[in-house]
Each structure stands twice: as C-alpha cells, then as structure tokens.
Amino acid sequence: MTLLKNIWEWDKRNFERLRRFQLPHRFKQIGFALFLVAFLALLAFRFVNNDATVIKTSLKYILLIGLLIISVSKEKIEDERIVQLRQQSYQVAFVVGVLYSILILPLVNYMADVIFKKESLGFEVNSWEVLFIMLLMQWFIFRMMRKKCS
Amino acid sequence: MKNTLKVERAILNLTQDELAKEIGVSRQTINSIETNRYVPSTVLALKLSELFKKPVNDFFTLEEND
C-alpha cells in the first residue's frame, strides 16, 4: 500500500511540475532570435530560386520552435495577472487556429479557385500553417493584452 | 467590486511601483486593480491586508451587480 501511495505521490508531484513548466525569461530572447533568423532566411530563399527543400523545411521547423520558446518563456515578473492573461491568450489563439483551418483557409482556397481557375485545393490544411498561425496569434494577443489591460 | 487601494496606498505614502515590489507583483497589476480591470486573488488580497494592517473588507467591497 505504501508503495502504491508513493507512486501516486510521485506522479502527482511530477504532474504539478509539468503543469507549471515554463522557461526562464531570458529564453524569450533566444526564441525571438531563432524566429527572426529563420524568418529572414526563409524570406531570402523566396528570392533565390533554388530547390533547397531540406533547408527550407528545417528553417520552417526552427521558426516554429522559436515561436514555441517565446510562448513558454516567463515574463520578467510572472504574477497572477500575467498567468490569467496568458491563459486567455491561449484560448483566443486556439479558437483562431480552428477558425483559420475550417473557415478562412478553405475560403481563401475557394477564392483562388474562382479567380485563377486553378485545381481546387479544397479542405487541405497545412499543419505547419495552422501551428504558425496559432503560435503567432498567441504571441501577439498576449502582447496586446499586456499593453491594453494594464 | 470596488476598492480603495489608491487611498490605502496614499496613507502609507507608497507609489504603485513600491507597493508592487512590496507584495511581489508587477506595477501593471497594481494599476489594473486600482482601475477595476483586474480582480486579485485571495492570496494577493490577504497580502495587501497584511501590509495595510486592515481587514480585506475595509478596502474591497462588493457592488450591487456582483
């Protein structure tokens, strides 16, 4: 019985640690640097017409990782109000992400079909795009909330 | 909910920033509470109560629509 209880306690402790997981504030700059470098590199690749698919794909992943690091880094003073604003920003970002994939993207694809008379892309949703939109929205909404709700 | 945080702060002659540092939150949080945009948690309210040496009810009061 004590063993079971110990396992239960250990599990509870670890879960609590996971629930509170956040990176220190300085990681925000690292995340931003990764994001910026990957973003600029991707932008540069648009003008250079070569088939560096592997590099492009890895850059896209680095971009997402950068945004994720920004998202899970603490603020300078992470107090209870910031925690609340953070939760709200995730909530909005989630809804925006879903709306984007079920509404905006198909609509844009449909418009593109009508205007350019191209092969329909239908409801094909690019997971990278959705993740990008969600992370970016969370970042911006959190920033906006911190400015406007203070 | 109404509050008289600003008054209590004036009594102790503290700025928003000083009060914030005293109870371990950001200055923006104190500002948000004073302008009724944020309702603090019980923990924060009790910390304020300890600092002001007054019961919580003295500076936080319910409004009719609460």
Side-chain angles (χ1 to χ4, degrees):
Chain A
M1 266 331 257
T2 32
L3 181 70
L4 264 180
K5 206 176 169 188
N6 280 343
I7 291 173
W8 170 249
E9 285 296 323
W10 177 81
D11 186 52
K12 215 168 131 185
R13 269 204 310 278
N14 276 328
F15 183 72
E16 196 62 23
R17 212 172 291 158
L18 192 70
R19 199 168 70 89
R20 287 163 193 272
F21 174 77
Q22 269 182 319
L23 292 170
H25 178 63
R26 63 170 189 280
F27 275 83
K28 201 155 222 173
Q29 282 150 8
I30 298 171
F32 186 69
L34 277 179
F35 166 75
L36 205 66
V37 166
F39 184 76
L40 291 176
L42 277 170
L43 213 64
F45 266 110
R46 284 210 164 245
F47 298 107
V48 187
N49 207 6
N50 61 358
D51 294 320
T53 334
V54 184
I55 299 173
K56 262 194 228 169
T57 314
S58 12
L59 278 174
K60 278 185 167 184
Y61 276 101
I62 291 170
L63 192 109
L64 285 188
I65 289 166
L67 282 172
L68 184 67
I69 291 173
I70 293 172
S71 179
V72 297
S73 300
K74 272 185 197 157
E75 283 304 299
K76 224 176 245 157
I77 302 170
E78 184 88 14
D79 61 11
E80 50 175 63
R81 187 177 127 271
I82 289 292
V83 171
Q84 194 189 61
L85 294 181
R86 192 186 287 283
Q87 285 167 355
Q88 283 167 356
S89 72
Y90 278 118
Q91 193 179 340
V92 176
F94 176 77
V95 173
V96 168
V98 174
L99 280 180
Y100 175 77
S101 28
I102 63 170
L103 221 65
I104 299 166
L105 203 63
L107 200 71
V108 168
N109 284 343
Y110 177 73
M111 297 291 266
D113 290 349
V114 173
I115 295 164
F116 302 112
K117 303 233 181 306
K118 266 191 181 173
E119 185 98 0
S120 176
L121 287 162
F123 280 88
E124 282 282 306
V125 174
N126 184 336
S127 65
W128 184 85
E129 267 175 43
V130 176
L131 288 174
F132 177 68
I133 288 283
M134 277 177 154
L135 287 165
L136 205 65
M137 282 313 278
Q138 195 269 328
W139 185 21
F140 284 160
I141 290 164
F142 187 43
R143 267 183 76 105
M144 205 174 75
M145 280 176 163
R146 261 169 24 224
K147 288 236 167 71
K148 300 215 165 164
C149 306
S150 64
Chain B
M1 193 182 78
K2 278 189 303 187
N3 71 74
T4 53
L5 207 64
K6 212 168 183 167
V7 178
E8 300 298 332
R9 193 159 61 74
I11 293 170
L12 289 182
N13 203 11
L14 290 169
T15 64
Q16 285 188 349
D17 202 30
E18 283 161 351
L19 178 61
K21 284 208 179 93
E22 203 73 43
I23 57 171
V25 295
S26 66
R27 192 193 56 77
Q28 284 85 351
T29 300
I30 298 297
N31 188 36
S32 301
I33 297 169
E34 282 183 7
T35 50
N36 281 324
R37 264 173 304 189
Y38 179 68
V39 178
S41 71
T42 317
V43 174
L44 198 50
L46 288 172
K47 276 186 190 171
L48 287 167
S49 153
E50 208 168 66
L51 188 73
F52 298 152
K53 296 188 178 66
K54 273 179 189 179
V56 175
N57 293 43
D58 283 13
F59 48 97
F60 288 121
T61 40
L62 283 175
E63 282 177 304
E64 250 171 47
N65 52 0
D66 278 331

